């Protein structure tokens, strides 16, 4: 239930203080219903209110009645920010301001013209981080002439079925989409020769809203059936802005032919799918009489491989074996191959689908999530793969390659492997401190490198600060990190402490070090400062060898006054895999220096973010955790303000709450729809005392929420649900420049702002070297994703 339904008394106690701020304490200058609004911006206007960026601009004008900071930006209908006109610009008292919006990308006269539609120009007046006033106007972009075209993109190209027999009356359907208006051509090709064009797709103009579909009956332009083979379907789209071309293959077959001549009982074993790396293909048949020539050939597209070519053959039963390699000794490519037997003038053929195994990374993690190279600390990437393959392991800092540790090393399936990294680059220099490092593990099929799997595992490189209040544990390490009980006799735990202390060491099953340990190796044993090695035989206190599994160890050093330092690592008990280094670099490997963002896989409006971008990481995390789901059009809309209903939803999802069903009531709030999507969240929040409406009987779910309101809500929820105390001396009080303890109006949220400063929960605004929080600023969806992501990383969620 809520954190599997933690004590309801704790929740009621938390939310009785109006943590959600529905009708609660106001923020100075707050625009969400809590405080008085000062009229600072006057005469706000955008002219013209409809314009064509191809030949004119829009002018934004307004006056301010006092000195202020102005933030002016433009958003589209999807709440995406498309231009910033004023980025916290200081103005004098009673000033008239004018800004120009070009209506183009990056607000640059050379940028592409933005699409037609309705845009909103917003202006905020800020004072010391607080919103004092805002105003906005809607503006239309409408083209006077022809709407600009853009380069077409062919998507969703598919052919169904991808294997068919035209002589048996079968055909196949070709489907695809084109993103822009364009001339579209579809051709069927054999090798580089066109054998079929289509009258409706021979350079015809199509609008971008057409769903393209056409059938092919297996005939060429002369109306004749094509011969059995693998053919290419080529689709081309072209307009004034560019050309795109995509292809897909289709196999034409005869369902296997049987000769009425001298060849009988032709069979293939296996008969349908075949992996040449696992077994040979058996080709069997009978010759009913002597022949002057016997040929066996494998064919796919323009590729032909000779298996048998004899000048004479007796009448007999034949069983020929083929290992699936070509004349160079390389395995053939994956796909449908035709096996043809010719004897004098008679021919038979059958098709076989060559299919190699795609390796999958079943487990991948690091032995130490954080290392300090200056303390000689190392970490290991530990992993296992479900198929024989070749593995490459590289360390990246963001999208920049730091060092390649493995290059196409052959590995065995279902065996454990470990690759060590000591925190140095390819020049053996120690890397800089930071939390933006990751292992990239790529495994490929030994035969076909297009069959692969990739996984990234993060590791932090941080300074292990020495503290006078505790005895630091440094250089902790287990050797080997994969303990093979068939071949190893002992495990070594290595560690150092920098002050005299009592040391605790225990081993836990799995990746968590909470609960009871499987083996307690030291129970606060006195140590002098120095480095130590402890041998362990892999058994528990009863002498029983631990099962094959993933384990964690935990070191604790404790000094007088109960000051502790804790280090945690992981290791494996299981079967160690052998390796065979492959230094052959003559394949078509690419040095993938640019790591693409994973968030773009879920939401197309954030596809421009790279994987090392923290917002991309946060959006990926909230999507995979089911906290945010995005919109039906495939967007996330990170710059859209989030309202109170949405905040209830994402926080309840973040804490894995069991939701109460809709009961047909509106809980007594006149502005709530009893059957709206938010009612399960509203009922659950109301049940636990979270929902505290306004005196007029409304809940105002459509209202936006500001930074301190959501911060108070989630931090007190964290304190109740995780028992983590962030107040009463446990946080850093060196805080933001615009949060002042001496200001009585800020007293109610000072602790939350200090907590945000300590854990860096919000992006700040830096002016003259000082960080500003802007507590009254309305919160956007991307900021909430970052807030929850950073809370999770800090262990507060």
């Amino acid at each position: 239930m809520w954190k599997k339904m933690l004590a309801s008394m704790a929740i009621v106690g938390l939310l009785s203080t109006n943590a959600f701020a529905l009708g609660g304490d106001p923020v100075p200058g707050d625009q969400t219903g809590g405080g008085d609004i000062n009229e600072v911006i006057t005469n706000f206007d955008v002219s013209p209110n409809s314009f064509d960026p191809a030949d004119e601009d829009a002018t934004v004008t307004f006056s301010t009645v006092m000195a202020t900071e102005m933030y002016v930006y433009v958003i589209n209908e999807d709440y995406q920010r498309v231009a910033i006109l004023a980025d916290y610009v200081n103005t004098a008292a009673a000033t008239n301001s004018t800004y120009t919006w070009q209506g183009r990308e990056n607000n640059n006269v050379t940028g592409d013209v933005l699409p037609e539609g309705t845009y909103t120009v917003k202006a905020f007046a800020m004072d010391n981080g607080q919103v004092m006033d805002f105003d906005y106007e809607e503006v239309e972009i409408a083209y006077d002439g022809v709407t600009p075209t853009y380069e077409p993109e062919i998507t969703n190209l598919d052919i169904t079925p991808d294997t068919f027999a035209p002589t048996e009356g079968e055909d196949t359907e070709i489907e695809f989409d084109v993103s822009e208006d364009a001339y579209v051509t579809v051709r069927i090709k054999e090798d580089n020769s066109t054998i079929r064009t289509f009258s409706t797709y021979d350079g015809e103009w199509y609008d971008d809203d057409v769903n393209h579909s056409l059938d092919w009956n297996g005939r060429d332009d002369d109306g004749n059936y094509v011969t059995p083979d693998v053919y290419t379907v080529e689709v081309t789209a072209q307009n004034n802005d560019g050309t795109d071309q995509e292809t897909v293959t289709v196999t034409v077959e005869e369902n296997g032919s049987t000769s009425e001549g001298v060849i009988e009982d032709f069979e293939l074993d296996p008969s349908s799918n075949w992996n040449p790396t696992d077994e040979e293909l058996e080709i069997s048949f009978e010759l009913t009489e002597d022949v002057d020539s016997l040929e066996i050939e494998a064919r796919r597209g323009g590729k032909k491989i000779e298996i048998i070519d004899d000048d004479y053959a007796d009448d007999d039963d034949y069983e020929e074996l083929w290992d699936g390699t070509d004349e160079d000794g390389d395995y053939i490519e994956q796909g449908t191959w035709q096996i043809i037997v010719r004897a004098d003038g008679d021919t038979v053929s059958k098709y076989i689908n060559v299919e190699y195994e795609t390796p999958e990374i079943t487990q991948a993690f690091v032995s130490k999530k954080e290392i300090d190279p200056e303390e000689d600390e190392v970490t290991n990437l530990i992993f296992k793969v479900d198929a024989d393959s070749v593995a490459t392991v590289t360390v990246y800092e963001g999208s920049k390659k730091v060092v390649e540790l493995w290059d196409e090393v052959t590995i065995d399936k279902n065996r454990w492997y470990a690759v060590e990294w000591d925190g140095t680059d390819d020049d053996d220099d120690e890397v800089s401190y930071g939390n933006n490092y990751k292992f990239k593990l790529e495994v490929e099929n030994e035969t076909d490198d297009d069959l692969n799997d990739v996984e990234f595992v993060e590791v932090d490189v941080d300074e292990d600060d020495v503290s006078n209040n505790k005895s630091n544990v440094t250089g902790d390490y287990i050797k080997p990190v994969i303990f093979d009980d068939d071949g190893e006799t002992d495990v070594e735990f290595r560690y150092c402490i920098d002050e005299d202390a009592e040391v605790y060491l225990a081993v836990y099953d799995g990746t968590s070090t909470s609960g009871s340990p499987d083996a307690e190796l030291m129970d606060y044993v006195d140590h002098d400062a120095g480095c130590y090695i402890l041998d362990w035989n892999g058994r528990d206190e009863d002498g029983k060898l631990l099962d094959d599994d993933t384990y964690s160890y935990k070191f604790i050093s404790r000094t007088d006054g109960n000051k502790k330092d804790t280090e945690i690592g992981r290791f494996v008990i299981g079967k160690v895999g052998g390796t065979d280094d492959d230094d052959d670099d003559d394949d078509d490997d690419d040095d993938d220096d640019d790591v693409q963002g994973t968030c773009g896989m879920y939401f197309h409006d954030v596809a421009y973010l790279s994987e090392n971008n923290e917002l991309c990481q946060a959006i990926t995390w909230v999507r995979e955790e089911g906290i945010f789901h995005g919109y039906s059009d495939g967007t996330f809309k990170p710059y859209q303000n989030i309202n109170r209903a949405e905040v209830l939803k994402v926080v309840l999802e973040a804490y894995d709450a069991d939701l109460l069903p809709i009961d047909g009531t509106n809980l007594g709030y006149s502005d709530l729809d009893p059957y709206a999507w938010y009612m399960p969240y509203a009922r659950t929040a109301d049940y636990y005392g979270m929902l505290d409406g306004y005196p007029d009987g409304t809940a105002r779910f459509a209202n936006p929420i500001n930074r301190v309101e959501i911060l108070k809500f989630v931090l007190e929820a964290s304190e109740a649900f995780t028992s983590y105390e962030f107040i009463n001396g446990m946080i850093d009080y060196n805080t933001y420049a615009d949060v002042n303890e001496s200001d009585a109006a800020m007293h109610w949220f000072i602790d939350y702002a200090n907590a945000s400063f300590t854990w860096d929960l919000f992006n700040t605004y830096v002016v003259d070297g000082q960080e500003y929080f802007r507590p009254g600023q309305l919160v956007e969806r991307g900021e909430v994703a970052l807030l929850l992501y950073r809370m999770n990383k800090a262990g507060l969620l």
Side-chain angles (χ1 to χ4, degrees):
M1 300 177 88
W2 191 313
K3 214 51 174 180
K4 301 324 178 202
M5 290 295 188
L6 282 177
S8 61
M9 288 301 294
I11 298 173
V12 172
L14 156 68
L15 296 162
S16 64
T17 60
N18 294 327
F20 191 41
L22 287 180
D25 299 306
V27 178
D30 180 17
Q31 299 300 306
T32 63
D36 296 329
I37 299 176
N38 300 314
E39 188 175 21
V40 178
I41 303 172
T42 62
N43 303 319
F44 186 81
D45 183 62
V46 183
S47 180
N49 57 15
S50 178
F51 73 108
D52 181 357
D55 52 27
E56 60 183 328
D57 304 324
T59 302
V60 181
T61 58
F62 56 88
S63 302
T64 51
V65 301
M66 60 182 293
T68 182
E69 285 182 302
M70 291 304 305
Y71 180 52
V72 185
Y73 63 93
V74 185
I75 59 174
N76 61 17
E77 292 171 302
D78 292 327
Y79 300 96
Q80 297 169 317
R81 188 166 53 197
V82 298
I84 297 177
L85 308 184
D87 194 4
Y88 294 100
V89 175
N90 290 309
T91 66
T95 297
N96 297 321
S97 297
T98 301
Y99 295 98
T100 299
W101 179 36
Q102 305 281 354
R104 297 173 178 266
E105 288 186 359
N106 301 318
N107 201 31
N108 190 314
V109 69
T110 62
D112 289 336
V113 174
L114 293 172
E116 288 187 307
T118 302
Y119 294 79
T120 303
V121 181
K122 287 186 174 183
F124 286 84
M126 315 288 292
D127 180 29
N128 206 21
Q130 309 302 306
V131 177
M132 296 188 298
D133 191 15
F134 72 95
D135 208 339
Y136 65 92
E137 288 285 347
E138 290 187 348
V139 184
E140 294 288 335
I141 288 183
Y143 301 118
D144 295 333
V146 179
T147 301
T149 57
Y150 300 92
E151 183 175 354
E153 180 183 6
I154 300 167
T155 60
N156 304 318
L157 175 59
D158 187 41
I159 187 162
T160 308
D162 58 6
T163 299
F164 73 112
T167 57
E168 299 293 325
E170 297 176 358
D171 58 16
T172 188
E173 182 182 16
I174 305 165
E175 295 180 292
F176 58 92
D177 297 316
V178 180
S179 63
E180 305 292 340
D181 300 350
Y183 298 100
V184 182
T185 302
V186 179
R187 293 187 175 94
I188 308 296
K189 306 186 79 170
E190 183 178 24
D191 296 331
N192 293 320
S193 300
T194 298
I195 63 166
R196 176 67 188 271
T197 57
F198 298 86
S199 59
T200 54
Y201 283 94
D202 190 13
E204 299 300 311
W205 179 265
Y206 285 93
D207 293 338
D208 60 4
D209 57 354
V210 174
N211 295 318
H212 299 276
S213 175
L214 67 157
D215 294 329
W216 181 42
N217 57 8
R219 296 177 183 268
D220 59 22
D221 283 333
D222 296 326
N224 300 317
Y225 284 116
V226 300
T227 59
D229 205 343
V230 178
Y231 293 85
T232 298
V233 180
E234 180 186 271
V235 180
T236 305
Q238 183 177 16
N239 62 22
N240 290 336
D241 291 298
T243 302
D244 189 23
Q245 187 175 90
E246 298 292 335
T247 61
V248 65
T249 59
V250 60
T251 300
V252 175
E253 63 176 10
E254 293 180 351
N255 289 337
S257 59
T258 302
S259 171
E260 296 178 358
V262 298
I263 309 171
E264 292 185 353
D265 301 327
F266 174 43
E267 298 291 342
L268 299 178
D269 184 22
S271 60
S272 54
N273 296 321
W274 173 42
N275 183 348
T277 63
D278 289 341
E279 59 182 330
E280 294 181 311
L281 178 67
E282 182 180 296
I283 306 168
S284 61
F285 55 92
E286 179 186 0
L287 295 180
T288 59
E289 59 183 71
D290 298 348
V291 296
D292 292 331
S293 66
L294 175 63
E295 299 175 352
I296 302 177
E297 178 183 271
R299 182 177 178 184
R300 173 176 166 81
K303 179 74 172 179
K304 298 179 179 64
I305 298 174
E306 183 182 283
I307 301 173
I308 294 291
D309 186 8
D310 289 341
D311 290 337
Y312 178 82
D314 295 325
D315 60 322
D316 204 348
D317 293 329
Y318 287 82
E319 290 184 359
E320 302 293 339
L321 297 177
W322 180 40
D323 63 1
T325 62
D326 60 18
E327 56 275 6
D328 297 324
D330 297 324
Y331 282 109
I332 58 176
E333 66 180 12
Q334 183 170 262
T336 301
W337 286 77
Q338 183 182 18
I339 307 300
I340 304 169
V341 179
R342 299 187 181 93
D344 288 348
D346 298 324
T347 301
V348 295
S349 68
K350 286 182 181 292
Y351 289 86
I352 188 77
N353 183 44
V354 177
E355 189 174 65
Y356 297 110
E357 191 171 8
T358 301
E360 181 180 350
I361 301 166
T362 55
Q363 294 198 57
F365 55 90
V366 287
S367 60
K368 292 283 292 181
K369 291 185 177 180
E370 181 179 304
I371 62 171
D372 184 351
E374 291 188 2
E375 296 290 346
D376 297 323
E377 293 180 342
V378 300
T379 189
N380 283 266
L381 175 65
I382 304 172
F383 65 92
K384 185 164 61 173
V385 182
D386 68 354
D388 294 345
S389 50
V390 292
T392 299
V393 178
T394 311
V395 177
Y396 282 86
E397 180 184 12
S399 60
K400 177 185 176 182
K401 182 185 292 186
V402 174
V403 61
E404 188 172 72
L405 304 175
W406 273 17
D407 181 19
E408 295 191 348
V409 175
T410 302
I411 60 174
D412 300 322
K413 65 180 180 180
N414 298 324
R415 290 290 187 268
W416 286 102
Y417 291 87
V419 183
E420 183 179 283
W421 183 48
D422 60 0
T424 60
D425 59 20
D426 52 9
D427 294 324
D428 292 327
D429 296 325
E430 292 178 356
V431 299
S432 302
Y433 291 129
N435 58 0
N436 200 25
Y437 293 92
K438 61 176 75 70
F439 286 95
K440 177 185 179 183
L441 169 62
E442 183 173 15
V443 294
E444 299 175 346
N445 181 279
E446 297 175 272
T447 302
D448 187 346
D449 59 12
D450 289 332
L451 305 175
N452 58 67
D453 192 15
V454 177
E455 190 157 334
F456 293 90
V457 182
E458 295 180 353
V459 61
D460 295 344
V461 179
D462 290 327
E463 184 176 4
D464 198 346
D465 294 327
V466 176
S467 170
N468 294 328
N469 296 324
K470 62 185 181 181
S471 178
N472 278 36
V473 179
T474 61
D476 57 294
Y477 185 75
I478 185 170
K479 184 179 180 181
V481 292
I482 304 173
F483 175 65
D484 191 338
D485 49 31
D486 289 342
E488 306 287 349
T489 57
D490 286 305
V491 175
E492 288 184 355
F493 286 98
R494 303 185 178 196
Y495 58 100
C496 299
I497 56 173
D498 60 8
E499 298 289 344
D500 297 349
E502 297 173 324
V503 177
Y504 176 87
L505 173 60
V507 172
Y508 299 78
D509 188 9
T511 58
S512 173
T513 58
S514 60
S516 300
D518 284 38
E520 194 173 82
L521 308 183
M522 288 189 292
D523 187 10
Y524 292 107
V525 176
D526 287 334
H527 281 57
D528 295 330
C531 295
Y532 296 85
I533 297 176
L534 173 70
D535 291 329
W536 176 53
N537 59 8
R539 300 176 182 272
D540 60 20
E541 282 95 349
D542 298 326
K544 180 183 177 181
L545 189 67
L546 296 183
D547 295 333
D548 288 1
D549 206 347
T550 301
Y551 293 88
S552 300
Y553 67 81
K554 178 166 65 177
F555 274 107
I556 301 176
S557 66
R558 183 175 66 186
T559 59
D560 292 341
N562 204 33
K563 301 294 184 180
K564 296 180 180 180
D565 185 33
T566 302
E567 291 288 342
I568 294 172
R570 296 177 183 174
F571 66 98
V572 167
I573 297 179
K575 303 301 180 186
V576 180
T579 62
D580 178 19
D581 288 349
D582 183 359
D583 293 324
D584 244 350
D585 291 323
D586 57 355
D587 57 10
D588 57 359
D589 286 345
D590 294 324
D591 290 338
D592 188 12
D593 289 333
D594 295 321
V595 182
Q596 297 300 313
T598 55
C599 54
M601 296 166 52
Y602 297 124
F603 309 109
H604 61 75
D605 62 333
V606 292
Y608 64 92
L609 297 174
S610 64
E611 179 161 338
N612 60 300
N613 184 286
E614 188 184 16
L615 177 58
C616 182
Q617 296 168 353
I619 290 173
T620 299
W621 179 77
V622 294
R623 168 61 176 78
E624 292 178 347
E625 292 295 318
I627 298 171
F628 279 85
H629 297 283
Y631 292 89
S632 59
D633 62 355
T635 62
F636 184 81
K637 301 180 182 176
Y639 300 111
Q640 178 176 316
N641 291 132
I642 191 167
N643 63 34
R644 296 168 186 267
E646 294 170 319
V647 167
L648 271 181
K649 176 185 183 298
V650 297
V651 173
L652 290 176
E653 296 287 0
Y655 284 100
D656 196 20
D658 282 348
L659 301 177
L660 297 176
I662 291 175
D663 65 354
T665 72
N666 63 0
L667 300 174
Y669 297 105
S670 61
D671 59 342
L672 295 188
D673 179 351
Y675 298 98
W677 66 267
Y678 52 69
M679 284 309 300
Y681 301 97
R683 284 201 65 214
T684 305
D686 181 69
Y687 181 80
Y688 286 103
M690 296 179 64
L691 195 58
D692 186 11
Y694 289 85
D696 63 357
T698 61
R700 304 185 191 178
F701 270 18
N703 282 13
I705 189 169
N706 64 36
R707 284 187 164 195
V708 291
E709 289 174 332
I710 192 172
L711 192 60
K712 181 178 190 292
F713 183 39
V714 294
L715 285 179
E716 290 198 1
S718 173
E719 192 171 51
F721 301 150
T722 67
S723 300
Y724 196 101
E725 297 184 14
F726 63 87
I727 301 182
N728 299 326
M730 300 191 68
I731 57 177
D732 187 347
Y733 274 80
N734 294 319
T735 187
Y736 305 106
D738 55 348
V739 176
N740 189 349
E741 283 188 86
S742 63
D743 189 337
M746 298 186 180
H747 283 176
W748 71 270
F749 67 79
I750 191 74
D751 287 322
Y752 312 114
N754 287 330
S756 175
F757 184 86
T758 298
W759 285 298
D760 192 26
L761 299 183
F762 275 105
N763 288 340
T764 56
Y765 302 85
V766 179
V767 179
D768 296 331
Q770 291 186 305
E771 293 185 68
Y772 287 81
F773 178 43
R774 308 191 189 282
Q777 182 170 307
L778 300 180
V779 179
E780 298 171 343
R781 287 167 54 84
E783 289 182 293
V784 177
L786 276 172
L787 170 65
L788 295 174
Y789 177 66
R790 291 172 179 178
M791 287 183 66
N792 180 65
K793 292 185 71 174
L796 303 176
L797 193 60

